[in-house]
Amino acid sequence: MRLTDISLRSLKPRFRQYAVFDDGMPNFGVRVGTTGKLSFIVMYRMHGRRRRDTLGQFPVISLAEARQLARQRLAKQVLEDKNPEFIATTKFAEVAADFLALHCGVRNKPRTADETERLMNRHWVPAFGRRTLQDIATKDISGVLDRMLDAPSEAKHAFAAIRKFFNWARQRRLVKHSPCEGLQIDIRSQPRTRVLSDAELVKVWRAAERQGYPYGTIVKLLLLTGQRRNEIASLRWSYITLAEKKIMLPPELVKNNRQHVFVYGDMVAEVLASMPKLGDFLFPARGHDDRPFSGWSKAKRELDVASGVDFTLHDLRRTWATRAAESGVHPWVIEAHLNHVSGVVSGVAAIYNRHNYLNEARSAVKVFDEHLAKALENHGS
């Protein structure tokens, strides 16, 4: 947006910090903290390295003063930007960092930006980090993807990330052509149909209990609510109405970008009551109370070993829906609770039917709680 004193004061905090860049001055902007604190920033390169400077907090320094400081920083990089030798020697890892900060961090929703960063750092930076962009050919992209044939879904998403990166680099005149042009991957990922048995649910629950807070607690809430991984991990106490056993997720946290309200039962209430309160986030990242939990891979491996069950976290969501349906819960109630847009109620019906089914969902949640409690009793410890 065009940064003005009025637009700065209109910026609201989100569940994680974000940046807004100025239409009138490239690479100059403001970072909005989770508490609403505004810090002016400028992005530039110096001696071949990407830099981000914090210029000061608003309104301690004015917008005009911050612009002047930004101009001074940016003036030092003009010669390098126009030097073709500089562009030709720029390494992939450096440009990838710019892409994640200037494009994904600004234009994408937080969960999309995080996923793109994960894909880039897991697959592409290790492969091409020290190479220049001009040195990366189509066969190099194909080579990385060919090594991922046993993980078709991951390959599909990794290809989307690198294709978006090179399109961005081409728009910035860092490459003449994208090595992804004309490249197609003949991979069709099959949708998962895994539903855990009651015995497996009990094993996962017991393992989560032993693992404890934070990851074990996240898994228990996923199992009990059927919500998405990122939604539960990013929960804030301010989203929860304890007296009504109700949770409101803001649009920026939800996959379909619209507010989602869902209810929970007694078992979730017990889990919440047993949790420590370390700040507004239920599950803050280690050493950072302003961002949500992020240590997924290691914690999941530990849970898999402890439970002896082969599953993904999304399988818990599918299992919740299946068990609810088997207990006689109407499909449209399940869809509303899980916040599925393309569900039973869709098209014109979805536009005119604005009922949230919260009362019906309370019965569904109670049914699942009773089912799980019975499974825990029947299968012992």
Side-chain angles (χ1 to χ4, degrees):
M1 64 169 64
R2 176 68 179 178
L3 293 183
T4 65
D5 285 344
I6 294 177
S7 65
L8 285 173
R9 296 183 189 279
S10 70
L11 296 173
K12 304 298 183 184
R14 300 176 183 171
F15 75 97
R16 58 168 289 175
Q17 69 177 18
Y18 66 100
V20 177
F21 285 87
D22 186 21
D23 285 343
M25 178 182 286
N27 296 347
F28 168 68
V30 63
R31 184 174 62 241
V32 185
T34 56
T35 61
K37 181 177 69 177
L38 305 181
S39 301
F40 292 111
I41 58 174
V42 61
M43 311 283 294
Y44 64 99
R45 285 189 175 278
M46 182 63 66
H47 306 303
R49 294 187 177 275
R50 183 180 68 90
R51 296 187 61 176
R52 181 184 68 186
D53 286 357
T54 300
L55 305 174
Q57 292 182 20
F58 177 79
V60 176
I61 68 170
S62 68
L63 177 59
E65 291 171 331
R67 287 188 195 278
Q68 182 60 32
L69 290 173
R71 290 189 186 96
Q72 295 173 5
R73 301 288 202 283
L74 294 172
K76 296 179 181 180
Q77 60 138 169
V78 171
L79 292 178
E80 287 187 331
D81 275 347
K82 293 183 178 180
N83 184 352
E85 292 183 0
F86 170 76
I87 293 177
T89 58
T90 302
K91 299 298 189 290
F92 177 90
E94 297 172 359
V95 184
D98 283 346
F99 165 70
L100 293 172
L102 297 176
H103 178 78
C104 299
V106 175
R107 296 182 178 274
N108 295 153
K109 292 177 63 175
R111 69 186 307 275
T112 303
D114 289 345
E115 176 63 5
T116 302
E117 181 176 4
R118 182 191 72 81
L119 293 165
M120 294 294 291
N121 290 334
R122 180 173 183 178
H123 302 294
W124 303 112
V125 173
F128 305 141
R130 299 181 63 82
R131 297 171 63 175
T132 64
L133 299 192
Q134 290 76 11
D135 188 40
I136 300 172
T138 302
K139 63 180 178 62
D140 299 316
I141 304 292
S142 298
V144 174
L145 295 173
D146 288 345
R147 294 193 291 272
M148 301 167 60
L149 293 178
D150 60 338
S153 180
E154 182 77 354
K156 179 180 177 181
H157 291 114
F159 178 57
I162 194 66
R163 182 172 54 193
K164 181 166 66 171
F165 164 79
F166 272 109
N167 286 340
W168 176 85
R170 180 173 53 79
Q171 292 170 359
R172 294 217 162 192
R173 305 295 189 269
L174 298 176
V175 291
K176 291 184 178 180
H177 303 286
S178 167
C180 297
E181 290 179 7
L183 179 62
Q184 295 181 346
I185 54 174
D186 189 19
I187 295 177
R188 291 184 176 88
S189 57
Q190 296 295 323
R192 287 181 63 88
T193 58
R194 176 91 159 91
V195 173
L196 274 65
S197 67
D198 286 351
E200 290 174 324
L201 282 178
V202 171
K203 290 180 181 178
V204 171
W205 179 271
R206 299 301 187 198
E209 278 188 325
R210 293 191 295 271
Q211 193 168 17
Y213 180 89
Y215 185 78
T217 307
I218 291 175
V219 171
K220 291 169 74 173
L221 291 180
L222 290 173
L223 196 156
L224 289 169
T225 66
Q227 304 304 309
R228 296 181 176 91
R229 183 186 84 166
N230 183 66
E231 295 167 354
I232 294 299
S234 301
L235 279 179
R236 293 175 180 263
W237 289 107
S238 54
Y239 298 164
I240 305 174
T241 306
L242 295 173
E244 299 179 21
K245 295 181 181 177
K246 185 170 65 177
I247 297 176
M248 186 281 294
L249 301 178
E252 61 268 21
L253 183 58
V254 180
K255 182 178 180 180
N256 56 32
N257 202 33
R258 68 182 190 185
Q259 179 179 288
H260 174 45
V261 179
F262 66 94
V263 295
Y264 60 85
D266 292 340
M267 293 187 74
V268 168
E270 291 175 5
V271 173
L272 295 178
S274 68
M275 288 178 55
K277 290 190 176 181
L278 307 175
D280 196 22
F281 277 111
L282 272 68
F283 307 102
R286 179 176 295 180
H288 300 277
D289 60 3
D290 61 343
R291 65 184 70 168
F293 177 85
S294 58
W296 297 102
S297 299
K298 180 180 177 181
K300 179 59 164 59
R301 287 195 296 270
E302 293 174 354
L303 182 70
D304 289 345
V305 173
S307 67
V309 180
D310 178 21
F311 74 105
T312 69
L313 293 181
H314 200 77
D315 292 339
L316 300 179
R317 179 172 166 85
R318 189 181 305 106
T319 301
W320 191 98
T322 301
R323 291 290 179 269
E326 290 172 348
S327 300
V329 178
H330 292 304
W332 49 88
V333 176
I334 296 174
E335 298 286 358
H337 179 74
L338 299 181
N339 196 25
H340 276 168
V341 174
S342 57
V344 175
V345 181
S346 58
V348 175
I351 295 174
Y352 288 97
N353 183 1
R354 310 310 296 173
H355 183 50
N356 56 27
Y357 295 103
L358 288 183
N359 290 333
E360 294 86 345
R362 288 191 187 279
S363 298
V365 166
K366 183 178 180 181
V367 165
F368 185 87
D369 277 10
E370 292 174 348
H371 181 92
L372 179 60
K374 185 176 181 180
L376 291 170
E377 180 182 350
N378 290 341
H379 291 277
S381 59

